[in-house]
Amino acid sequence: MIRKQRLLAGLIAAAGIALAASARAGESARDFPSRPLRIVVPFTPGSGSDNSARYYGEALARELGQPVVVENKPGANGVIGIQAVNSAPADGYTILLASNSPISVNPIVTKNLPYDPLTDLRPISGLSRNMNVFLVPLDSPLKSVGDLAAAAKRQDRALNIGTYSAGYQLAAAWFGTLAGIRFNNIPYKGQAQIMTDILGKQLDLALVDTGGALPLLRQGKLRALAVSGEQRHPELPDVPTVRESGYADFVQYSWVSFYVRAQTPDDIVARLASTMQAILKRPESAAYLAKAGSSLMPYDPDAMRRFQEAETARFRKVAQATGIRAE
């Protein structure tokens, strides 16, 4: 008798779970969202990506009328965070805040990558792009990228450079190739620890997101050698670009965008995408990005996919030029 009761209870529980799953699967854009959402960030707190996730998460919460929780899942160049998203239901409630590294660089530099950005993930919206910056400790003898190249050639050791994703590592190797020098890349899970270590003079230099470095640069605690944009950074008008410093081919931006699992229903994707387009068109979004020194990248899902593919092709050319192969 007891055994039959347990069996019956198990069947009822299983039926309840199945009904709940069925209800979730049948949720339409008109009902979405009916519970909290989460944004998974594959980097540590304090990075430009993390800051973007928190800003846009708050904006989404206001628009959608549901809480939006940001979860940091750093590690393995973004792989851990993306696997967390791919393990969640494809219902639009789990959003990936992706950057160029896990989306367009990892497929080029990583063998046996456990995800495919083109088939496993679906773009929701482009968000913003930001130039990178070469940083050194404030009392470093290096005052420019010219000094950096000359010092690297004089010394009998490779300079230690801190980066926190495959995109920055590839960009550093690209500059090294153009300058005829080599770096010893020190990989980090996020930008915050790089800032700590370069302040403590544990690194010769770093290549990081400009937005995340601006607070310390404004306080005069670090020195910027050059920025990687087409033009100077509006918050750092006295810092030259790498192009101005004699390396005309070097232009590099980091970008962030929202993705969901590829199997997410079309109407849910459309609801999220239209909501993000409305948010990005608001003056406060432009003001937020201007303060961070970033620029809008308000791509809809189709435009974001085309941009992603173009960036992957660009990074593939960079990898070929630097001799970097998938490992």
Side-chain angles (χ1 to χ4, degrees), residues 2 67 81 100 108 146 153 155 183 194 199 244 292 306 318 326:
I2 293 176
N100 50 293
I108 297 167
K153 290 174 181 177
Q155 298 188 50
F183 294 118
I194 294 180
L199 282 169
E244 290 179 274
R306 291 193 296 271
V318 170

Side-chain angles (χ1 to χ4, degrees), residues 114-162:
Y115 66 89
D116 186 327
L118 291 174
T119 59
D120 292 344
L121 298 169
R122 188 171 181 178
I124 290 295
S125 175
L127 299 177
S128 62
R129 72 172 191 170
N130 203 4
M131 59 185 77
N132 307 151
V133 59
F134 284 97
L135 295 176
V136 295
L138 193 60
D139 61 355
S140 169
L142 307 179
K143 302 293 194 299
S144 67
V145 291
D147 290 346
L148 167 62
K153 290 174 181 177
R154 283 196 310 268
Q155 298 188 50
D156 59 0
R157 68 171 181 87
L159 297 177
N160 291 327
I161 185 169

Side-chain angles (χ1 to χ4, degrees), residues 269-318:
V269 170
R271 174 74 193 282
L272 288 169
S274 63
T275 301
M276 282 307 308
Q277 288 301 302
I279 290 170
L280 291 170
K281 289 177 181 177
R282 290 185 177 157
E284 53 264 37
S285 292
Y288 162 74
L289 291 173
K291 184 177 180 181
S294 303
S295 56
L296 273 172
M297 204 173 76
Y299 298 153
D300 64 19
D302 290 339
M304 186 61 223
R305 177 66 83 197
R306 291 193 296 271
F307 177 75
Q308 170 188 338
E309 292 171 345
E311 281 288 272
T312 302
R314 182 175 74 87
F315 281 118
R316 183 170 287 110
K317 291 180 180 178
V318 170

Side-chain angles (χ1 to χ4, degrees), residues 84-97:
V85 172
N86 282 339
S87 297
D91 55 11
Y93 283 92
T94 300
I95 300 170
L96 172 70
L97 187 286

Side-chain angles (χ1 to χ4, degrees), residues 204-242:
D204 294 309
L205 73 158
L207 180 61
V208 295
D209 173 74
T210 308
L214 278 176
L216 291 174
L217 288 170
R218 290 180 181 130
Q219 295 169 32
K221 293 184 177 181
L222 293 173
R223 178 186 300 135
L225 300 183
V227 293
S228 66
E230 297 165 344
Q231 299 175 339
R232 294 192 181 196
H233 196 289
E235 292 291 316
L236 303 169
D238 296 328
V239 178
T241 65
V242 177

